[in-house]
Amino acid sequence: MSTQEFVETERKYDADIETPLPAFGDITGVEQVADPADHQLEAVYFDTEGLILARYRITLRRRTGGADSGWHLKLPADKDSRVEIHAPLGQPETVPEELAEKLLVFTRGHELRPVARIHTRRTLLRLHGSEEETLADFVDDHVTAETLQPAQLERQWREWEIELVHGDEALLESAEHVLSKAGATRSGHPSKLARAFGTAWPPAVPAPPKARPKGSAGDAVVAYIAAQIAEITARDPGVRQGADDAIHQMRSSCRRLRSVLSAYGRLFDADATAQLKTELKWLSTVLGKARDAEVLRDRIGELLNDQPDVLLSNPAAIKITDELEAAFNSGYRETLRSLGTERYFRLLEELEKFRDEPPTRPRAGKKARRVTAKLASKAIKRLRRSQKAAARQTGVEHDTALHQVRKDAKRLRHAAEALQDVHRKPAVKLARDAQELQKILGEHQDSVVARSVLLRLAGDASGPLEDNSALGRLLAAEEQRATDAEARYEKVAKKNRLKPL
């Protein structure tokens, strides 16, 4: 089943039954009004028993009548906008799989069921500009709504909507004045469904506190944590549907959360942070199986494509590429299984609980600048210790130690990112310097892993390595990449002094 995605920008207004239609010609840019078109719309709205979607201000309905019959999923976007995803009508009681998958991160195993029925008698008027371009659609809706749970209620009302087509924000502002002059008022409800439920409509998920230079340390960290939770939520559907880079981005958010909980854990209850870090590590590991296999598959594939004679002369090379593809597929299947487990859903709930009801210690209530600067300095010291340890190692132990430097640089980067609204330019520079170290050592680590695969490939090939000149060239190329990366690291490590905040 195929879906279509749109962004709708509209405003809703309450109008009395006897309120006359506005003077559309007074709206800036409107020069023509098309003949009215009447529609009878029947919509069934779906949610969980606890109205989980409603709390996130998400709307899911199956509507017949009008020009866009089908399933409509509406997700919040900017101030007056929502992302709207359409799917064909299908079966009345069966939510299309593609839409249900996008909602699993919210529904978490709870059944989607009909919660309301809404009948709308609609009159549509298209507002055109000077060149007959449609600027906006105005609809005059007479609505009859019936809620199905938690209690059966019926309500009736009239409302107006104006939705942009090719118009802009200025048109909406002008229309606001004209519609108000006609007697309409901006709706106090975000949707027809919200108005149908009235006082039974659940409160929205609370907005997290904002990080401010003069705010508290706890608020600064929680704001960053909230942003990463939102990123996991946004990436979840893409991971399930195999979207490019979705696994990588979701895993990065998990790592950012772990880094921040480690760096600023003293601001919060120790047991709560330890539990979250354990579960985030589990999720990162699950996502990493597919992601690491993907990176290695692409890297080895690029090397082999540059040396086609390796593939021709070495059947073992084909075997390696097949193994890497199988490793990615296996990791991806495990990821999908894990995202459908109670453990994953419980982690999401615990993250949201931490965001909404932070288990703060008294220190979290102090001014952010001094407290966070001191804690971030510990991450700097940790990185410097691992750098000194790596300098004392050789061989395989040196490679392992450099990988630890990379991980500590990444932790420092994330810790600094969390403070950019508090410490501004110093935090931005610290994050940038740490990221530079991390990226260089990431290239080094990728080369270390690729060399181990090539060495195994050499071991599987017939004859000594010197007789497999093409394979030897690949190995030499990877060794050179590792050497170059380490040289760049040494140069950057001397330059980047990682100045405390």
Side-chain angles (χ1 to χ4, degrees):
M1 178 179 292
S2 61
T3 59
Q4 294 179 300
E5 187 168 314
F6 312 88
V7 175
E8 67 168 18
T9 302
E10 66 179 18
R11 292 185 184 179
K12 294 178 179 291
Y13 298 84
D14 294 336
D16 294 334
I17 296 298
E18 64 276 8
T19 302
L21 290 177
F24 297 111
D26 292 344
I27 299 175
T28 302
V30 174
E31 298 198 9
Q32 299 179 55
V33 181
D35 292 337
D38 294 327
H39 301 283
Q40 299 290 334
L41 310 177
E42 298 286 347
V44 178
Y45 288 76
F46 287 72
D47 205 332
T48 65
E49 184 177 4
L51 301 180
I52 292 173
L53 299 186
R55 292 196 69 234
Y56 285 93
R57 299 310 185 239
I58 295 170
T59 302
L60 174 65
R61 72 185 178 203
R62 183 182 186 271
R63 191 171 74 182
T64 57
D68 60 350
S69 292
W71 288 86
H72 303 162
L73 172 61
K74 298 189 178 187
L75 307 169
D78 295 330
K79 180 180 61 173
D80 293 316
S81 301
R82 290 190 292 179
V83 174
E84 185 168 336
I85 304 169
H86 290 188
L89 278 171
Q91 298 300 315
E93 299 292 330
T94 305
V95 178
E97 184 177 353
E98 289 182 60
L99 300 186
E101 277 192 345
K102 291 181 181 295
L103 295 173
L104 274 171
V105 70
F106 303 105
T107 58
R108 301 169 191 175
H110 295 282
E111 179 187 1
L112 287 167
R113 59 180 68 184
V115 295
R117 292 189 180 91
I118 296 181
H119 171 78
T120 302
R121 179 164 53 87
R122 167 168 292 180
T123 299
L124 166 67
L125 296 102
R126 296 212 144 151
L127 312 182
H128 299 291
S130 58
E131 299 180 358
E132 297 189 358
E133 180 182 54
T134 302
L135 300 178
D137 286 340
F138 173 88
V139 297
D140 180 14
D141 287 345
H142 293 259
V143 184
T144 301
E146 176 191 11
T147 59
L148 306 177
Q149 64 170 30
Q152 285 192 313
L153 299 171
E154 184 172 306
R155 302 177 189 272
Q156 294 183 337
W157 68 89
R158 184 187 183 197
E159 71 178 33
W160 293 345
E161 294 178 10
I162 185 162
E163 179 179 346
L164 292 182
V165 179
H166 296 293
D168 55 18
E169 185 75 17
L171 185 143
L172 282 182
E173 292 299 327
S174 176
E176 176 106 1
H177 175 73
V178 173
L179 270 59
S180 298
K181 188 176 179 180
T185 57
R186 279 291 289 271
S187 177
H189 302 89
S191 66
K192 288 181 173 64
L193 187 62
R195 184 160 183 173
F197 273 93
T199 57
W201 188 245
V205 172
K210 293 184 178 181
R212 302 185 307 275
K214 295 183 179 181
S216 72
D219 283 355
V221 177
V222 170
Y224 186 79
I225 287 173
Q228 300 314 310
I229 295 172
E231 184 69 10
I232 290 174
T233 302
R235 296 294 176 181
D236 177 287
V239 172
R240 297 178 191 277
Q241 295 170 6
D244 288 344
D245 210 36
I247 291 178
H248 171 54
Q249 294 299 332
M250 189 174 186
R251 184 193 190 193
S252 294
S253 291
C254 291
R255 286 176 161 175
R256 283 181 165 88
L257 284 168
R258 287 179 62 208
S259 295
V260 168
L261 289 171
S262 294
Y264 307 112
R266 294 188 181 186
L267 302 178
F268 306 98
D269 177 78
D271 291 339
T273 55
Q275 176 65 18
L276 281 181
K277 285 166 61 179
T278 297
E279 294 304 290
L280 286 166
K281 183 177 182 180
W282 161 74
L283 181 56
S284 295
T285 300
V286 169
L287 295 167
K289 291 180 181 179
R291 173 59 182 167
D292 291 344
E294 180 183 39
V295 170
L296 189 56
R297 177 198 66 187
D298 294 347
R299 188 181 185 95
I300 296 295
E302 180 184 342
L303 288 171
L304 293 174
N305 287 334
D306 290 341
Q307 299 280 349
D309 49 341
V310 176
L311 288 171
L312 293 175
S313 61
N314 265 301
I318 298 176
K319 180 182 177 182
I320 287 291
T321 57
D322 288 345
E323 285 182 3
L324 292 174
E325 184 66 30
F328 169 75
N329 291 334
S330 175
Y332 182 58
R333 286 193 297 270
E334 183 176 347
T335 294
L336 293 181
R337 286 194 298 271
S338 298
L339 295 191
T341 62
E342 285 296 325
R343 184 175 186 179
Y344 173 62
F345 297 147
R346 188 165 55 248
L347 170 58
L348 294 176
E349 290 169 359
E350 289 302 316
L351 284 170
E352 290 169 349
K353 181 179 179 182
F354 194 99
R355 175 197 65 196
D356 299 339
E357 303 171 18
T360 53
R361 291 177 170 178
R363 193 177 183 185
K366 296 183 178 180
K367 296 292 185 182
R369 280 186 178 274
R370 181 175 297 179
V371 172
T372 55
K374 188 173 182 180
L375 293 174
S377 293
K378 293 182 181 295
I380 295 175
K381 292 176 182 177
R382 178 189 178 100
L383 173 56
R384 287 173 174 163
R385 285 196 300 268
S386 64
Q387 287 178 305
K388 291 178 181 178
R392 296 193 295 267
Q393 302 294 333
T394 58
V396 175
E397 289 79 11
H398 182 61
D399 290 338
T400 302
L402 284 179
H403 184 42
Q404 183 60 48
V405 174
R406 178 201 180 195
K407 291 193 288 186
D408 289 339
K410 184 180 293 187
R411 174 182 288 191
L412 174 59
R413 170 195 168 189
H414 297 158
E417 283 178 351
L419 305 180
Q420 290 182 6
D421 288 335
V422 174
H423 294 275
R424 305 295 172 92
K425 288 184 179 180
V428 171
K429 185 179 187 308
L430 182 58
R432 185 172 61 243
D433 290 347
Q435 182 181 21
E436 188 175 14
L437 292 173
Q438 170 206 327
K439 290 183 70 174
I440 293 171
L441 291 178
E443 172 65 24
H444 181 273
Q445 178 63 14
D446 288 346
S447 186
V448 168
V449 176
R451 275 155 44 203
S452 68
V453 174
L454 291 172
L455 285 170
R456 180 160 69 86
L457 176 57
D460 291 343
S462 57
L465 180 59
E466 54 268 21
D467 293 337
N468 289 277
S469 58
L471 186 56
R473 289 198 302 273
L474 291 182
L475 188 58
E478 274 297 349
E479 289 173 345
Q480 187 60 50
R481 289 168 83 173
T483 299
D484 291 345
E486 187 169 351
R488 292 199 309 274
Y489 160 71
E490 296 290 349
K491 183 178 180 179
V492 169
K494 291 179 181 178
K495 180 190 71 173
N496 290 356
R497 299 190 179 278
L498 303 174
K499 185 179 178 180
L501 299 174

